[in-house]
Amino acid sequence: MSDPVPSALSIRGLGLQIGGATILKDVDLEIAPGTLVGVIGPNGAGKTTLFNVISGVTRPTAGSILMDGDDITGRSVPQRARAGLGRTFQTSSLFPRLSVWENVRLAAQVGLGGNYSLLRFPRRADAATERALQELIKVGLTHKLDTAAGDISHGDKRKLEIAVLLATDAKTVLLDEPMAGVASGDVPGLVDNIREMQRISGCTVLMVEHHIDVLMGLVDRVAVMYSGSIIAFDTPQNIMANPLVQSAYLGIAATETAA
């Protein structure tokens, strides 16, 4: 009998205390490889803090984080990135003065390794150049190759961030409010990009998103946060019918509903 496949991401008893305040408490999640998981909750529930802890920006005060069975709790942000963890932020983290193509090419250099210079781009095509072009084709940005990343629309910046993640070969991806600030007409295309990223690369995706209707039609499972804890983790259909989740969004104390 073969050994079970480890979770793509395993969060066990995760906690974060700052001073006397409890920000995260006893967070447990097991994310299966290749799944797309939404993380929702009212403002202040701890969603972005959870992403900060998973990505290494903030160190937890309790618990552990495993990726593909390896404990990454004590690893730095760069070490987690090299292990295959990628992330986008609510605010764009692109290089605004570099072109669309140059942003993705830098990511491709990291993904491919080898003797690439981060200070000089080649005059001829090479593996990193070709990889960058492939990812830009997938997200539909080849018509903006030479445009500075700071000059493209917000929706296109989100697409560019996805191309960057694809170029790094990230195995587990954290998307922090990818639809935030995106014009309504650009949302369907961005949803398709996320779905294609997950399908083509086979990566595991965790996504915080306030556009609940969009998220529910995209993800396989939903984790609901309330006051720094996970109060439900289930399919979108079951989450929408869960009275505990409904109470959290209506502003009623979850403990009162559960009593």
Side-chain angles (χ1 to χ4, degrees):
M1 184 174 180
S2 60
D3 294 332
V5 176
S7 297
L9 193 65
S10 180
I11 300 169
R12 302 174 180 175
L14 204 64
L16 176 65
Q17 285 193 317
I18 300 177
T22 299
I23 313 301
L24 297 176
K25 182 181 179 181
D26 298 328
V27 176
D28 291 302
L29 272 178
E30 295 289 337
I31 310 298
T35 55
L36 209 162
V37 174
V39 182
I40 65 173
N43 290 334
K47 303 181 296 294
T48 294
T49 300
L50 176 62
F51 272 26
N52 286 342
V53 173
I54 294 172
S55 60
V57 174
T58 303
R59 291 297 177 94
T61 53
S64 60
I65 305 165
L66 284 74
M67 194 166 73
D68 297 323
D70 294 328
D71 193 332
I72 63 170
T73 313
R75 296 187 189 179
S76 66
V77 173
Q79 288 172 331
R80 295 179 199 215
R82 285 193 290 271
L85 182 64
R87 180 187 178 179
T88 66
F89 292 81
Q90 293 179 23
T91 303
S92 176
S93 57
L94 300 166
F95 294 102
R97 295 187 178 182
L98 294 183
S99 71
V100 165
W101 168 74
E102 289 168 339
N103 269 272
V104 185
R105 191 187 186 285
L106 283 173
Q109 290 179 191
V110 174
L112 291 168
N115 297 318
Y116 288 105
S117 171
L118 296 180
L119 302 177
R120 182 179 300 172
F121 293 103
R123 295 181 180 277
R124 59 181 176 79
D126 63 359
T129 300
E130 294 301 320
R131 179 63 183 273
L133 290 172
Q134 289 173 11
E135 307 310 345
L136 286 166
I137 289 171
K138 291 175 186 175
V139 300
L141 284 180
T142 52
H143 62 297
K144 299 284 183 71
L145 288 180
D146 297 320
T147 304
D151 293 338
I152 62 178
S153 71
H154 196 74
D156 282 345
K157 286 177 183 176
R158 294 303 194 188
K159 293 180 180 180
L160 179 55
E161 288 170 344
I162 290 174
V164 167
L165 287 173
L166 287 169
T168 63
D169 282 329
K171 296 182 293 183
T172 298
V173 171
L174 311 179
L175 302 178
D176 196 352
E177 296 194 40
M179 311 296 170
V182 176
S184 58
D186 292 333
V187 168
L190 187 55
V191 168
D192 288 343
N193 288 150
I194 294 171
R195 188 177 285 116
E196 281 297 288
M197 175 185 70
Q198 193 273 337
R199 184 186 68 82
I200 293 172
S201 68
C203 64
T204 303
V205 179
L206 269 72
M207 182 172 73
V208 169
E209 184 52 59
H210 285 292
H211 288 70
I212 301 300
D213 54 338
V214 172
L215 181 138
M216 290 297 182
L218 178 62
V219 302
D220 303 305
R221 293 176 71 81
V222 181
V224 185
M225 295 195 71
Y226 184 88
S227 296
S229 298
I230 302 290
I231 63 170
F233 183 49
D234 211 330
T235 64
Q237 294 80 8
N238 289 341
I239 288 295
M240 293 299 287
N242 188 321
L244 194 61
V245 175
Q246 294 172 358
S247 73
Y249 274 95
L250 289 172
I252 304 170
T255 53
E256 293 177 5
T257 307

